[in-house]
Amino acid sequence: MSYVQYLPAELLSYIMELACLAEGPAQTQTAVVLGKVSKLWRDMAFGTPSIWTSFQVSQNMDPRALEAALLRSRGLLVDIHAVGEATKLKVAREQLDALGGHSTRWRNVEISHPDAFALLEKSIPLLLPNLQSLIVKTGSQRLSPVLMSFYSFPEYSTAPDISLEWKSRIYPSLRCLDLCDIELKPRETEHFLEFLEAHSTLEKLALREVWELDAYIPSRTVELPHLNELQLRGIPSSEILRWVRAPNLQKLILEKSSQLRYWIPADIKSNYATAIDVTLIRFSTDPGALLNVLRAVPLASEVKLVSKDLRLRYSFCTESILIQHKLPLLTSLHIQGVASLAQLKAVADANMETLTEVKVHCLDLGLPEQSSLKDYNERDEALRWLKDQGTFKFDIDHSLDAFGGRYKSHEDQICREKM
């Protein structure tokens, strides 16, 4: 400890900043701990405003301590994190209310809680002038309202009947909006579209498991000219996929959006044609839908195709589709679920002029004696060609199942034969 006493004040303050930043959302709690080491460290911690700018709502936090920490931040913008299922709703509300006195300084807000709806409705102010990022996720597991209407699932919760007042929310500095498992009722859908239209400065929009109750056809498509990244994950409605038009989109991520099969290339192209980084996850649907997406993004240079349910017959259509439709600017290709290395070789050969990187997770790799493949020589020849060519970087591994483990198709095949 004696040697630390002689460190320059600026260096000790910088070390404290690094230590607190490493703790992420809990950096304010870390700052409190550092302040208890000695009088010198307490003075340095209290005199370093940047380590008092991230607040994590927790079960054991005293709301009165938040006010003192806010004063130490000396007017800097702060981040709010209400994350964790252990924190009771009443406790979370009390702490957010204590932080609400300084809501004009809120910069980033993240809510990941079973009662995220209630916290967003009651504890997140309608006006946040400096808010740049809003992330809202419910921690509870729910099913589609369509399934809930036909079947009884007592273990799954339903969304509370509350209003999120999208029309009244004003966040002029908002750049990132990430909503997960949010239910939009018919009376709120138009208000949500108006909210998006009023916040046209959005640069990232992620809608995950956003359920649209009852069929709703929007009166217009909202244009977001500054949107760089759009994520649509688990969207059950084809209309939700048409809500946003992004003329300057760079990154497009679609996951398990089964309604894509109802789209035509013109629909996708009119909304997302400028995307250069395209990721399709769990796309096990009609191959024509996948082909339509690729036709609609002619500028795509980085393409990632991830199929996780490898028992479906459409899970291994990527190589044949990429043979049918060549992407003229393709530089990086990542495929999870490759069934034919010979077809992959044909894809790589056709895009040799532009490709710089190919990464694949291959079915039956290294299992010739139990593989469902009939011609191992063709597979091995293609693998040697892919490894020996010197034009692009090539990385290959085993296919993964839906749980992240190695998928063993020969075991799946044996199970099917016994059925």
Side-chain angles (χ1 to χ4, degrees), residues 111-143:
I111 304 176
S112 182
H113 192 275
D115 294 301
F117 289 102
L119 290 175
L120 180 60
E121 180 196 26
K122 298 294 185 181
S123 301
I124 304 302
L126 298 178
L127 174 61
L128 294 172
N130 289 301
L131 184 67
Q132 298 176 15
S133 173
L134 176 62
I135 301 174
V136 184
K137 310 173 187 177
T138 58
S140 57
Q141 188 177 16
R142 296 194 297 110
L143 291 181

Side-chain angles (χ1 to χ4, degrees), residues 59 62 85 132 140 143 216 236 282 286 291 294 341 385:
Q59 184 66 30
D62 185 352
E85 298 183 2
Q132 298 176 15
S140 57
L143 291 181
Y216 175 81
R282 290 194 288 180
D286 183 352
L291 184 58
L294 296 179
L341 283 175
W385 183 89

Side-chain angles (χ1 to χ4, degrees), residues 10-247:
E10 296 82 2
L11 179 58
L12 181 57
S13 177
Y14 180 63
I15 293 174
M16 286 185 172
E17 284 188 51
L18 294 179
C20 292
L21 288 174
E23 296 298 322
Q27 73 176 56
T28 303
Q29 288 91 320
T30 304
V32 173
V33 173
L34 292 176
K36 295 179 179 179
V37 173
S38 68
K39 183 179 183 302
L40 172 64
W41 282 41
R42 182 171 64 254
D43 293 341
M44 290 301 303
F46 287 5
T48 307
S50 58
I51 66 176
W52 303 97
T53 58
S54 181
F55 298 87
Q56 183 171 20
V57 173
S58 62
Q59 184 66 30
N60 301 320
M61 175 66 71
D62 185 352
R64 293 172 296 181
L66 296 173
E67 182 64 30
L70 284 165
L71 293 176
R72 294 170 194 149
S73 64
R74 297 181 185 176
L76 295 179
L77 298 180
V78 299
D79 303 331
I80 312 297
H81 305 271
V83 180
E85 298 183 2
T87 306
K88 295 181 179 179
L89 176 60
K90 181 180 178 181
V91 174
R93 278 179 171 171
E94 290 176 351
Q95 295 180 32
L96 288 173
D97 290 344
L99 294 166
H102 298 261
S103 61
T104 57
R105 296 200 282 131
W106 288 15
R107 175 177 53 192
N108 301 310
V109 174
E110 178 184 7
I111 304 176
S112 182
H113 192 275
D115 294 301
F117 289 102
L119 290 175
L120 180 60
E121 180 196 26
K122 298 294 185 181
S123 301
I124 304 302
L126 298 178
L127 174 61
L128 294 172
N130 289 301
L131 184 67
Q132 298 176 15
S133 173
L134 176 62
I135 301 174
V136 184
K137 310 173 187 177
T138 58
S140 57
Q141 188 177 16
R142 296 194 297 110
L143 291 181
S144 160
V146 177
L147 291 177
M148 296 290 287
S149 63
F150 285 99
Y151 304 100
S152 176
F153 296 93
E155 67 272 22
Y156 291 95
S157 60
T158 57
D161 187 17
I162 59 177
S163 174
L164 299 179
E165 300 184 70
W166 289 109
K167 189 176 183 179
S168 301
R169 295 185 180 275
I170 303 175
Y171 308 141
S173 301
L174 191 64
R175 297 293 181 269
C176 171
L177 179 63
D178 187 340
L179 303 178
C180 179
D181 206 7
I182 297 294
E183 216 168 81
L184 292 174
K185 299 175 177 60
R187 65 178 183 273
E188 292 183 321
T189 305
E190 190 66 32
H191 293 169
F192 181 70
L193 290 176
E194 291 179 8
F195 171 85
L196 291 179
E197 193 170 43
H199 297 80
S200 59
T201 56
L202 274 173
E203 297 175 0
K204 176 182 177 180
L205 175 62
L207 300 177
R208 294 179 282 173
E209 306 291 342
V210 175
W211 301 110
E212 178 194 24
L213 292 183
D214 299 330
Y216 175 81
I217 301 177
S219 59
R220 66 192 183 286
T221 297
V222 176
E223 181 168 320
L224 300 177
H226 300 283
L227 196 67
N228 293 322
E229 179 178 343
L230 176 64
Q231 298 185 27
L232 300 173
R233 297 173 177 259
I235 304 296
S237 168
S238 59
E239 296 304 328
I240 292 181
L241 298 173
R242 292 184 172 91
W243 282 358
V244 174
R245 181 177 179 271

Side-chain angles (χ1 to χ4, degrees), residues 300-316:
S301 61
E302 299 179 32
V303 176
K304 184 176 181 181
L305 307 170
V306 182
S307 181
K308 294 185 178 180
D309 191 352
L310 301 179
R311 298 189 178 194
L312 296 179
R313 61 190 180 97
Y314 292 146
S315 296
F316 306 107

Side-chain angles (χ1 to χ4, degrees), residues 337-374:
V338 172
S340 172
L341 283 175
Q343 287 191 335
L344 179 67
K345 173 180 176 294
V347 172
D349 195 22
N351 295 274
M352 186 71 74
E353 295 181 359
T354 57
L355 272 177
T356 60
E357 178 185 24
V358 175
K359 182 178 181 180
V360 297
H361 288 78
C362 184
L363 188 70
D364 286 342
L365 181 63
L367 296 171
E369 71 285 354
Q370 296 170 315
S371 173
S372 59
L373 298 176
K374 296 180 180 179

